[in-house]
């Protein structure tokens, strides 16, 4: 099994833990305050990890150029917005469904990767991603009180926006990492991650200072939870960045859809939310698509 697959699975598990913590933060902080915790507390840790890996491995990296900086800024802003939209989704229905809407990102990432990096996928891989999307839609779009199953509403809008922006960030971060040369993937990933988190932390801190006075103080006041969000989030991001430095970002995001398994388990065991037969059917289709992608890899 290619090493990027277990790294991706680790990333999904850690990301689900981070999302769980961020949902709890919504009782104490605003949407953007909860979002800020992911970046502000993760940045110092990411810098230490990057410096440590760079020093230990004595890796020579290409000097960051305009491409690196441009991709860093676009990807960093896209990820901040995607995270905010994802947290906002938590207020609509239940934890599993809110997160699942963002998982259209695998297909969107494939399209964005083609546009930005010119990377293509084989037809079997694309078919597996499409099957996974069908599974996610079965999980994500429950019937309403009047029996309408696929009503287009704010949840879908925010989910599609979040998934698309996560796709933009994934492709940009892969491109930024590739621009640093041929060093070990984890070193390129850690340096890219540290630079991205510093930029994101400064950007969202400035936003909170201007638009939500006092919220930044509340973020630091809740440091026991926000600090844990930063730690888990940094570990998850390092896994994502490392996997995407190794292979097409669309494949990484597609295999990363295994997160919905952790999400459903979290929804059931922590929030006592029921899972319907149709959602289990969607889960089976999604699992089959992920297995197919692993076999293709």
């Amino acid at each position: 099994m290619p090493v990027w697959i277990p790294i991706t699975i680790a990333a999904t598990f850690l990301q689900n833990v981070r999302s769980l913590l961020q949902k709890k933060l919504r009782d104490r902080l605003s949407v953007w305050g909860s979002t800020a915790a992911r970046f502000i507390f993760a940045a110092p840790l990411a810098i230490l990890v990057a410096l440590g890996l760079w020093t230990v491995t004595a890796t020579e990296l290409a000097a960051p150029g305009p491409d690196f900086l441009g991709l860093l800024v676009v990807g960093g802003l896209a990820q901040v917005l995607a995270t905010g939209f994802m947290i906002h989704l938590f207020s609509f229905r239940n934890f599993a469904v809110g997160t699942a809407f963002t998982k259209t990102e695998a297909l969107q990432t494939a399209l964005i990767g083609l546009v930005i990096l010119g990377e293509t996928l084989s037809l079997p891989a694309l078919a597996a991603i499409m099957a996974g999307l069908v599974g996610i839609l079965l999980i994500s779009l429950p019937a309403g009180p009047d029996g309408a199953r696929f009503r287009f509403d704010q949840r879908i809008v925010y989910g599609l926006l979040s998934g698309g922006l996560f796709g933009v960030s994934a492709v940009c971060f892969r491109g930024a990492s590739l621009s640093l040369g041929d060093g070990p993937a984890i070193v390129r990933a850690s340096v890219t991650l540290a630079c991205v988190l510093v930029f994101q932390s400064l950007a969202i801190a400035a936003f909170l200072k201007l638009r939500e006075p006092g919220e930044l103080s509340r973020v630091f006041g809740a440091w026991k939870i926000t600090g844990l969000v930063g730690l888990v989030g940094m570990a998850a991001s390092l896994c994502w960045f490392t996997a995407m430095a190794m292979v097409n970002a669309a494949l990484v995001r597609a295999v990363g859809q295994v997160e919905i398994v952790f999400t459903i388990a979290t929804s059931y065991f922590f929030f006592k939310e029921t899972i319907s037969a149709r959602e289990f059917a969607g889960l089976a289709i999604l699992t089959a698509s992920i297995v197919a992608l692993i076999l293709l890899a």
Side-chain angles (χ1 to χ4, degrees):
M1 178 185 294
V3 68
W4 65 268
I5 292 176
I7 291 175
T8 299
I9 294 173
T12 62
F13 176 77
L14 291 167
Q15 179 169 291
N16 191 63
V17 174
R18 188 206 66 216
S19 295
L20 171 63
L21 293 170
Q22 283 181 302
K23 184 176 182 180
K24 289 183 175 295
L25 276 177
R26 284 292 288 116
D27 297 331
R28 304 174 62 177
L29 303 174
S30 70
V31 168
W32 296 111
S34 302
T35 302
R38 169 182 177 178
F39 304 108
I40 291 175
F41 286 87
L45 298 173
I47 292 172
L48 291 175
V49 170
L51 288 175
L53 289 172
W54 197 0
T55 301
V56 169
T57 60
T59 300
E60 292 187 8
L61 298 176
D67 288 347
F68 177 87
L69 296 176
L71 291 167
L72 181 150
V73 170
V74 173
L77 291 176
Q79 189 180 47
V80 170
L81 291 173
T83 302
F85 289 145
M86 182 187 71
I87 292 174
H88 183 61
L89 275 170
F90 293 155
S91 63
F92 282 100
R93 185 179 178 261
N94 70 26
F95 183 70
V97 171
T99 303
F101 276 124
T102 68
K103 296 308 168 188
T104 56
E105 77 171 287
L107 183 59
Q108 295 191 66
T109 299
L111 298 175
I112 294 164
L114 176 63
V115 173
I116 296 179
L117 299 181
E119 293 185 327
T120 60
L121 292 173
S122 67
L123 287 178
L126 189 58
I129 291 175
M130 290 293 292
L133 179 58
V134 170
I136 283 177
L137 290 177
L138 285 172
I139 296 168
S140 305
L141 303 177
D146 58 355
R149 182 168 292 177
F150 298 109
R151 176 181 300 150
F152 193 85
D153 59 16
Q154 290 186 63
R155 296 172 300 173
I156 298 175
V157 172
Y158 281 113
L160 291 173
L161 284 173
S162 180
L165 289 168
F166 274 129
V168 170
S169 67
V171 172
C172 287
F173 295 154
R174 171 167 166 76
S177 178
L178 291 174
S179 73
L180 294 179
D182 299 323
I186 193 170
V187 177
R188 290 185 284 115
S190 65
V191 171
T192 303
L193 175 61
C195 293
V196 167
L197 285 173
V198 169
F199 165 72
Q200 290 172 320
S201 299
L202 294 175
I204 199 165
F207 173 83
L208 289 178
K209 198 72 175 176
L210 292 173
R211 297 299 299 273
E212 298 184 16
E215 186 66 14
L216 199 57
S217 297
R218 287 188 284 273
V219 170
F220 284 101
W223 64 270
K224 288 184 180 180
I225 299 180
T226 52
L228 189 56
V229 168
L231 174 61
V232 176
M234 189 279 295
S237 294
L238 182 58
C239 290
W240 283 122
F241 277 49
T242 301
M244 290 186 293
M246 295 177 174
V247 72
N248 189 308
L251 290 176
V252 174
R253 288 306 194 185
V255 172
Q257 290 175 141
V258 72
E259 180 192 0
I260 198 63
V261 177
F262 301 130
T263 300
I264 288 176
T266 299
S267 177
Y268 182 80
F269 290 108
F270 284 86
F271 298 111
K272 308 304 179 183
E273 295 166 344
T274 59
I275 307 298
S276 70
R278 183 168 51 79
E279 288 172 330
F280 275 117
L283 181 60
I285 295 173
L286 174 60
T287 302
S289 75
I290 293 171
V291 170
L293 284 169
I294 291 174
L295 292 176
L296 288 170

